[in-house]
């Protein structure tokens, strides 16, 4: 269990997998088995070719910070300011944009264009995807 | 171009209830006050009202009052009633009324928007509002923001503002011009919430909320109701205070209906909304005498300025800097009653009311020879607009 902020996850039948995916350390995004496009948020049908052959598929979990805000207000009790909320665009398809918190660095290190990778915070039955700067090897 | 159907409609009456930070009155009480004033202003009686339209159509602090409550409170006899939140933003209630009148379903439609967010309390977990968030939320799109503490539209708008600054060099000093302009204009509005003078230095010194948005970039919750009467244009000659024409409605929702998945993080749905409005008129942005553009958050006004075409994409920061262009004597006098940042979060209907006052020549800060006003309301994927004229279009 985590001692992090309250993660009010309310999954839909389509998104249930998204919030559980991190149990094996992998982020998954819905993908069309016919046209190959990534679909997010997950839906009942491929919006591009209307195929129903859609299923969660692992992604690398790496991406780029498209934009972010530093919150100075405790919008939800338990989220102690300051904290970063960001949109991350995934490497597989930058039109897949993930809302998340950036962790694992100083607040003032976060910037647009920053390269980040997923990690998961366990919260009850969920594995909530967070992102941190990619740890560059020497 | 065949005549757009909306030109069959006019705004015959407009009024507001008392407005305050906290009035401790019920939403329907305020609604009745605004409605009766607007009906009287239109030279009508409740017996003439045969339609009611409102946004969003539920009670609570954000919803204010239901259409059925007003229907019952005034014992109206209606041919048509409508409400809903899945409109082109709050002005969708006006669009619907205009279309009902234009198609002959109703002749005089009372439109209202009521908020009791001042005494109803600020956004708190589970209450929704603020653009649709709240911590209980739903399994809909907000499920991807709430688990990260992004429970307010402030967080989402801040992300757009940040990217706009990054891509176009927009500064906080430029953004602050929206708040300073609103405050200066609010001083002439007896119903405004905040009227103490504010300088750009005051703006830059106040505390941050969600960077780059500070406290003065966020509008102030209040209690109040705004009502307008939409009538058929053949009633225009009998409107005591002067009919306001509907030249064009802006309703388009052409991108993804989403705060987080929209294709461009430096504009929002108003880009499509305004484009659809200009497609329905022979008028152009150069004809606009004053603009009343939504400022639930100051950056939304920049987005509206660009969407309407008062400047090019990415140029809104430079356009508003120093406040000259948007001041009462500027190229585009903006939010002349103070907007929501200083006059209270009336959810776009304060802007609409001010547009009517300008076209009648009764605004507190009047724009000379005002004949065309652009009104835009909403942010994110929920935006709508109106192009209004002095007299029927
Ligand atoms: Zn497909």
């Amino acid at each position: 269990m985590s001692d992090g902020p309250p993660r009010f996850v309310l999954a839909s039948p389509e998104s249930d997998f998204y919030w559980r995916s991190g149990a094996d350390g992998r982020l998954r995004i819905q993908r069309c088995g016919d046209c190959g496009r990534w679909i997010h948020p997950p839906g009942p049908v491929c919006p591009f070719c209307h195929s129903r052959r859609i299923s969660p598929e692992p992604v690398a979990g790496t991406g780029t910070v498209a934009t972010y805000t530093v919150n100075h207000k405790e919008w939800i009790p338990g989220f102690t300011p300051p904290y970063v909320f960001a949109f991350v665009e995934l490497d597989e398809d930058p039109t897949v944009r993930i809302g998340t918190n950036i962790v694992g660095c100083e607040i003032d290190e976060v910037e647009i264009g920053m390269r980040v990778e997923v990690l998961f915070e366990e919260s009850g039955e969920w594995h909530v995807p967070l992102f941190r700067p990619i740890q560059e090897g020497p | 171009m065949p005549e757009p159907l909306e030109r069959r409609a006019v705004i015959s009456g407009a009024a507001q209830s008392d407005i305050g930070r906290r009035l401790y009155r019920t939403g329907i009480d305020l609604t009745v006050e605004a409605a009766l004033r607007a009906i009287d202003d239109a030279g009508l009686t409740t017996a003439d009202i045969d339609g009611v339209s409102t946004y969003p159509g539920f009670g609570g602090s954000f919803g204010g009052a239901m259409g059925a409550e007003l229907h019952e409170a005034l014992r109206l006899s209606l041919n048509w009633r409508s409400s809903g939140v899945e409109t082109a933003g709050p002005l969708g209630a006006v669009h619907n009324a205009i279309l009902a009148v234009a198609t002959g379903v109703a002749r005089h439609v009372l439109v209202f928007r009521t908020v009791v967010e001042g005494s109803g309390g600020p956004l708190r977990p589970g209450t929704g509002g603020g653009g649709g968030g709240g911590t209980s939320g739903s399994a809909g799109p907000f499920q991807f923001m709430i688990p990260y503490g992004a429970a307010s539209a402030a967080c989402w708008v801040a992300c757009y503002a940040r990217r706009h600054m990054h891509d176009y060099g927009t500064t906080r000093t430029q953004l602050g011009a929206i708040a300073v302009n609103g405050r200066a204009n609010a001083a002439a509005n007896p119903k405004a919430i905040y009227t103490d003078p504010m300088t750009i230095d005051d703006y830059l010194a106040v505390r941050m909320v969600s960077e780059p948005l500070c406290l003065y970039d966020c509008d102030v919750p209040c209690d109040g109701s705004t009502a307008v009467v939409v009538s058929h244009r053949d009633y225009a000659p009998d409107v005591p205070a002067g009919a306001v024409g509907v030249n064009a409605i802006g309703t388009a929702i052409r991108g993804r209906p989403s705060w987080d998945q929209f294709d461009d993080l430096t504009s929002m749905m108003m880009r499509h909304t305004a484009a659809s409005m200009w497609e329905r008129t022979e008028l152009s942005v150069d004809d606009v005498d004053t603009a009343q553009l939504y400022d639930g958050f100051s950056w939304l006004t920049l987005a509206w300025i660009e969407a309407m075409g008062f400047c090019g994409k990415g140029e809104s920061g430079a356009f508003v800097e120093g406040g000259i262009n948007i001041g009462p004597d500027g190229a585009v006098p903006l939010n002349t009653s103070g907007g929501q940042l200083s006059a209270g979060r009336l959810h776009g209907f304060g802007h609409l009311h001010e547009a009517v006052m300008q076209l009648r020549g009764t605004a507190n800060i009047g724009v000379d020879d005002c004949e065309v006003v652009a009104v835009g309301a909403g942010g994110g994927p929920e935006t709508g607009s109106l192009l209004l004229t002095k007299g029927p279009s």
Side-chain angles (χ1 to χ4, degrees), chain A residues 32 35 46 49:
Chain A
C32 178
C35 74
C46 172
C49 75

Side-chain angles (χ1 to χ4, degrees), chain B residues 211-361:
Chain B
E211 284 184 44
L213 303 182
C214 67
L215 183 65
Y216 294 152
D217 289 311
C218 306
D219 63 359
V220 52
C222 70
D223 297 349
S225 179
T226 306
V228 300
V229 180
V230 174
S231 300
H232 193 279
R233 71 176 167 199
D234 66 17
Y235 178 66
D238 301 318
V239 177
V244 163
V246 179
N247 187 269
I249 57 176
T251 61
I253 306 162
R254 290 173 181 157
R256 291 179 70 179
S258 170
W259 286 85
D260 51 334
Q261 306 297 323
F262 194 67
D263 65 352
D264 175 17
L265 288 170
T266 63
S267 69
M268 287 176 169
M269 195 61 81
M270 62 276 274
R271 159 178 131 222
H272 297 301
T273 299
S276 72
M277 185 181 82
W278 294 122
E279 288 161 12
R280 300 181 67 81
T281 179
E282 62 288 339
L283 296 176
S284 78
V285 68
D286 296 331
D287 296 308
V288 174
D289 296 306
T290 172
Q292 309 298 327
L293 301 176
Y294 194 75
D295 58 344
F297 299 96
S298 55
W299 185 81
L300 296 177
T301 315
L302 294 190
W304 270 112
I305 287 170
E306 294 181 16
M308 285 284 182
F310 292 113
C311 64
K313 180 87 158 59
E315 297 172 357
S316 58
F319 183 80
V320 304
E321 185 167 8
I324 301 299
N325 279 335
I326 56 175
D329 300 316
V332 188
L334 175 75
N335 294 346
T336 45
S337 63
Q340 297 188 178
L341 295 171
S342 286
R345 179 187 158 74
L346 297 167
H347 209 206
F349 275 55
H351 298 80
L352 172 64
H353 181 269
E354 174 66 6
V356 174
M357 298 301 117
Q358 287 289 358
L359 289 164
R360 287 176 171 179

